[in-house]
Amino acid sequence: MPIPRGQVVAIMGGSGSGKTTLLRLIGGQVKPQQGEVWVDGQRVDQMDDTALYHLRRRMGMLFQFGALFTDLSVFDNVAFQMREHTDLPPALIRDLVLMKLDAVGLRGAGDLFPAQLSGGMAKRVALARAIAPNPDVLLLDEPLSALDALVRLNLRQKIRTIQCQLNLPAIMVTHDQEEALSISDRVAVMNKGVIEQLDTPHNIYYKPQTRFVAQFIGSM
């Protein structure tokens, strides 16, 4: 399942179908019993712990509950990884953080703390933190659930815009079929740990290849 830069692949399926496990396999958090996982020319499933540690630092991850550090300001949350894992000078880190906050529409919110943020704002801070170190890939696990419809619509377009601007490959687990079909280049429909169909949104909707895909998408 090669994913070119700049493309979004959405993973859908019922509860327990293996969506999040697949994402964790790609992120190096779980090792597969068989098969291969490659990220940017490197085989993830054969890496030792040190190599996996460095790989994870090159991945932008945004999860359903993208917990922010409650005792750090928005600015410090976004700057955290760059301060901890790079030798960038403080002035450059400051410029990069402001750039990322501007990209998510929160340039003036750097001095706020997580308790002062709405749910949508907190997600945007988590997105800014995920893209701050200029990752090689963006992994999204139900990033927009628990948000109201209008905030979710605006934020998913923001994610798509930023992902295109950075030319990042992105993999998104979602239970929202409309979301998957509207912003993805390809969609993978999973059933009991198996990808039943990996195809364009058009073909997933109009040309399902299995009965399961037809029934699953047909529930829209």
Side-chain angles (χ1 to χ4, degrees):
M1 188 169 102
I3 303 172
R5 287 191 170 275
Q7 285 201 1
V8 174
V9 172
I11 303 173
M12 292 194 304
S15 179
S17 61
K19 304 184 299 295
T20 296
T21 298
L22 178 57
L23 199 70
R24 295 181 68 193
L25 285 165
I26 296 166
Q29 297 160 316
V30 176
K31 288 197 174 184
Q33 295 177 330
Q34 59 182 332
E36 301 176 2
V37 180
W38 293 80
V39 175
D40 199 23
Q42 294 182 292
R43 187 167 171 181
V44 177
D45 57 288
Q46 291 187 337
M47 289 181 174
D48 58 26
D49 290 341
T50 301
L52 281 173
Y53 171 76
H54 289 290
L55 174 77
R56 293 189 194 112
R57 281 171 45 192
R58 292 166 36 220
M59 291 187 171
M61 300 186 182
L62 183 60
F63 300 105
Q64 180 177 358
F65 303 106
L68 302 175
F69 299 115
T70 57
D71 58 336
L72 297 181
S73 68
V74 165
F75 183 96
D76 291 333
N77 263 281
V78 178
F80 182 82
Q81 189 166 343
M82 287 186 285
R83 287 172 174 166
E84 291 292 313
H85 302 301
T86 72
D87 296 322
L88 296 175
L92 180 55
I93 290 177
R94 178 183 179 278
D95 290 343
L96 289 172
V97 170
L98 292 178
M99 186 185 305
K100 303 305 181 185
L101 288 176
D102 190 44
V104 299
L106 291 174
R107 186 178 181 88
D111 293 333
L112 298 179
F113 282 79
Q116 299 172 286
L117 305 176
S118 67
M121 290 175 70
K123 285 288 187 181
R124 284 189 280 166
V125 174
L127 174 60
R129 186 175 64 181
I131 64 173
N134 294 321
D136 295 328
V137 62
L138 194 58
L139 303 180
L140 311 163
D141 189 6
E142 300 276 10
L144 306 180
S145 60
L147 297 175
D148 64 55
L150 183 59
V151 173
R152 188 166 64 244
L153 177 63
N154 290 336
L155 191 51
R156 82 185 186 201
Q157 293 301 331
K158 179 73 71 176
I159 290 173
R160 180 58 161 157
T161 299
I162 291 172
Q163 174 263 337
C164 287
Q165 289 173 343
L166 297 178
N167 197 31
L168 283 173
I171 304 170
M172 177 179 67
V173 167
T174 179
H175 69 278
D176 188 323
Q177 295 185 17
E178 191 271 335
E179 182 174 279
L181 296 174
S182 65
I183 71 168
S184 303
D185 298 286
R186 287 185 292 168
V187 177
V189 180
M190 293 192 68
N191 179 31
K192 297 179 181 179
V194 175
I195 295 177
E196 296 251 346
Q197 187 171 348
L198 172 64
D199 217 326
T200 64
H202 181 276
N203 287 346
I204 288 287
Y205 189 82
Y206 290 104
K207 300 177 182 179
Q209 298 298 304
T210 69
R211 180 181 295 273
F212 174 83
V213 174
Q215 292 175 336
F216 184 76
I217 299 298
S219 65
M220 283 186 64

